[in-house]
Amino acid sequence: MRGPEMDGIHDLGGKQGYGVIAVSGDEEPPFHSAWEARMWGIAFAYTRPPGCSAPVFRYTREQETPLRYLTRPYLDQWYQAHACMLLGSGAVTVDELASGTSDGGRPAFAGSPMSAAQVARNKHLTPARTTRDDLQPRFRVGDDVRVILTPSPGHTRVPAYVRGHRGIVHASHGGHALDDATARGEQVTEPLYTVGFKLSTLFAEHAGSNDRVHVELWESHLHECV
Amino acid sequence: MLHQHKRGGTGAAGDTVMAYDPETAADQHAAINAHVPSEPALRVKALETLLVAKGLLDSAAVDAWVEVYQDEIGPKTGARIVARAWCDAEFRQRLLADGTAAIAELGLGGRAVDHLKVVANTASVHNLVVCTLCSCYPFSILGVQPAWYKLAAYRSRAVRDPRGVLAEFGETIPPEVRIDVWDSTADLRYLVLPERPAGSETLDEAALAAVVTRNSMIGTQRRLVAGDARA
């Protein structure tokens, strides 16, 4: 029996052995093939099943096997994650995904799909912030904090390379929905912080360096440092 | 892998949420992998056809989003923000204080920039943006991520070897310049405000925008050149 997994291949920060970067500049086109462009547009335009939030999407993508995660084209991983979410919601079957033909009716959550006119209206429309300012943050800017060693099982936004490490609160952002909980279908809001870490404390080869890494972490990801 | 359940067992309409059942995760991924067409172009086409048949998608909206990200939203969008900040000190202050509110003054916004944080390069600080856990990016002002931003080499090394990463992009950062890396792990999305290049005093705002490159706004390029042909 498998339990919820959190230490997946996606958690790449600080890992070694992935080689040199395939550098490109502004000459790189947005899409490298027609299907990539279609997948990007589909993801923006289709009516998602209820609850298919960004954290659920990310958690779904994280379940790719390591080999596939590292080798499959990025927008093909979008295909896979959206197909899984649709399958899990009961909106489609594997046979339908294979054939492209619908064997049933419209799912109950189908309304009017986004139109081209709505795209034109919404392309620069910023979603309303859902943050809360009524939570009393436990930490203040400048506080010494330590990252928890064991995030909750399942999806987490605590990267492995900062777990157990000491940092300083750089900024406080008010109450944000905790992605780790959203991925479990729960609604939890906690104060969110930007925490700064010295590279010299994270990685032994950087002794004496002043360079820093900043990571957003929620309150339950942090301890007081005493 | 994903299944529906009713929050708190109330069963009320609208309470259905997606949640995770790891026991079937591998099965669902495997079933899709085993049965859908092996060519990405064919499985994406089948997905589009199916979603249209299910009443979940209008292909004209797909066309429209593709056109927006082919022709309209891209690095040139972000470059307008940078050029305005170079020309208008008060706008720069507002941009650094609340990026989302400031870019709305230019008619800009969209998904993934509702918590936009702009970080400014200075003579003593260089900023570099990454998403180590996925590929978070302020796409409504920078367009589709470059391929390298989404791949393991950049995501793994940006936080561990930022100077080595910058060297591969042709930038040697002097030891007295501190590097600040920003790993986008929550709702904030980062835009680097590069330094205005020397010799650009006579350029107007539109000409300045033409100097700004995508990589300079991610932080993998530090030095911009007035009249740079790379843009």
Side-chain angles (χ1 to χ4, degrees):
Chain A
M1 181 167 119
R2 286 172 56 168
E5 295 179 350
M6 59 191 232
D7 290 318
I9 189 67
H10 66 283
D11 189 359
L12 286 164
K15 299 285 165 45
Q16 295 181 305
Y18 290 106
V20 298
I21 295 158
V23 168
S24 72
D26 284 9
E27 76 288 353
E28 184 183 341
F31 306 113
H32 305 83
S33 61
W35 71 260
E36 285 193 351
R38 295 315 285 178
M39 190 59 237
W40 179 274
I42 292 167
F44 276 58
Y46 89 97
T47 309
R48 295 191 186 195
C52 285
S53 58
V56 167
F57 171 83
R58 293 187 190 114
Y59 196 15
T60 306
R61 183 181 166 217
E62 290 165 11
Q63 304 309 309
E64 282 272 35
T65 63
L67 194 62
R68 283 179 177 274
Y69 188 93
L70 292 173
T71 56
R72 194 166 179 166
Y74 176 73
L75 282 161
D76 194 32
Q77 298 190 36
W78 278 28
Y79 164 85
Q80 181 80 5
H82 288 296
C84 275
M85 291 194 300
L86 285 158
L87 188 59
S89 73
V92 305
T93 65
V94 173
D95 286 345
E96 289 177 325
L97 287 168
S99 68
T101 312
S102 175
D103 298 331
R106 295 157 63 99
F109 63 87
S112 291
M114 186 186 298
S115 67
Q118 284 174 301
V119 175
R121 282 200 298 275
N122 294 346
K123 61 191 173 189
H124 289 307
L125 187 69
T126 305
R129 290 179 181 172
T130 55
T131 46
R132 283 171 53 181
D133 56 11
D134 60 327
L135 301 178
Q136 184 62 42
R138 182 175 156 206
F139 304 112
R140 288 177 302 183
V141 171
D143 280 358
D144 272 335
V145 289
R146 191 178 291 282
V147 182
I148 58 171
L149 270 172
T150 51
S152 55
H155 182 71
T156 182
R157 296 300 280 179
V158 184
Y161 73 91
V162 297
R163 289 183 201 157
H165 283 287
R166 186 172 178 170
I168 291 177
V169 175
H170 170 83
S172 180
H173 303 293
H176 282 240
L178 174 64
D179 284 356
D180 307 18
T182 308
R184 293 193 298 266
E186 299 168 12
Q187 292 172 322
V188 177
T189 301
E190 287 186 6
L192 179 73
Y193 307 93
T194 301
V195 180
F197 301 87
K198 290 181 175 177
L199 244 65
S200 59
T201 69
L202 296 178
F203 303 111
E205 69 269 26
H206 287 295
S209 169
N210 287 322
D211 295 342
R212 306 186 301 199
V213 177
H214 301 80
V215 179
E216 266 81 64
L217 295 163
W218 279 262
E219 193 153 281
S220 62
H221 296 151
L222 301 169
H223 295 300
E224 282 167 30
C225 218
V226 286
Chain B
M1 155 184 51
L2 291 167
H3 69 129
Q4 293 194 344
H5 76 126
K6 304 286 185 185
R7 194 193 310 281
T10 62
D15 260 357
T16 302
V17 295
M18 299 299 288
Y20 220 79
D21 172 10
E23 301 235 7
T24 55
D27 291 348
Q28 289 199 344
H29 271 280
I32 291 172
N33 288 334
H35 290 98
V36 302
S38 56
E39 283 297 316
L42 296 179
R43 53 180 172 261
V44 169
K45 179 67 189 162
L47 178 66
E48 180 172 350
T49 311
L50 176 61
L51 290 173
V52 170
K54 293 276 184 184
L56 298 174
L57 181 69
D58 177 350
S59 277
V62 181
D63 298 341
W65 279 120
V66 169
E67 199 177 303
V68 164
Y69 278 91
Q70 287 273 20
D71 304 329
E72 189 185 327
I73 294 178
K76 294 297 166 210
T77 314
R80 280 177 55 202
I81 300 167
V82 171
R84 174 64 57 88
W86 284 345
C87 294
D88 181 339
E90 290 181 2
F91 176 77
R92 184 180 193 275
Q93 275 194 332
R94 294 195 296 277
L95 183 68
L96 295 175
D98 184 340
T100 304
I103 68 170
E105 297 175 27
L106 306 180
L108 296 176
R111 288 171 53 185
V113 293
D114 44 329
H115 295 275
L116 180 65
K117 181 64 188 168
V118 180
V119 287
N121 286 349
T122 67
S124 57
V125 174
H126 182 77
N127 294 285
L128 181 70
V129 179
V130 66
C131 173
T132 63
L133 293 173
C134 43
S135 310
C136 295
Y137 193 70
F139 51 78
S140 292
I141 53 171
L142 291 185
V144 180
Q145 309 97 319
W148 52 263
Y149 187 86
K150 299 172 281 199
L151 291 174
Y154 182 75
R155 286 168 51 194
S156 62
R157 290 174 53 206
V159 295
R160 181 154 193 169
D161 181 25
R163 288 173 189 269
V165 165
L166 277 151
E168 282 175 27
F169 281 87
E171 294 284 5
T172 304
I173 307 299
E176 65 272 19
V177 174
R178 187 185 77 221
I179 296 182
D180 277 343
V181 182
W182 305 89
D183 187 357
S184 319
T185 52
D187 299 330
L188 277 68
R189 296 292 173 272
Y190 288 92
L191 177 76
V192 175
L193 180 59
E195 286 188 286
R196 181 169 174 164
S200 66
E201 294 77 8
T202 61
L203 299 182
D204 65 14
E205 198 173 310
L208 284 169
V211 166
V212 180
T213 64
R214 180 191 62 201
N215 290 358
S216 73
M217 294 180 281
I218 304 173
T220 52
Q221 182 181 356
R222 177 164 173 82
R223 297 161 301 160
L224 292 172
V225 181
D228 189 0
R230 282 179 291 179

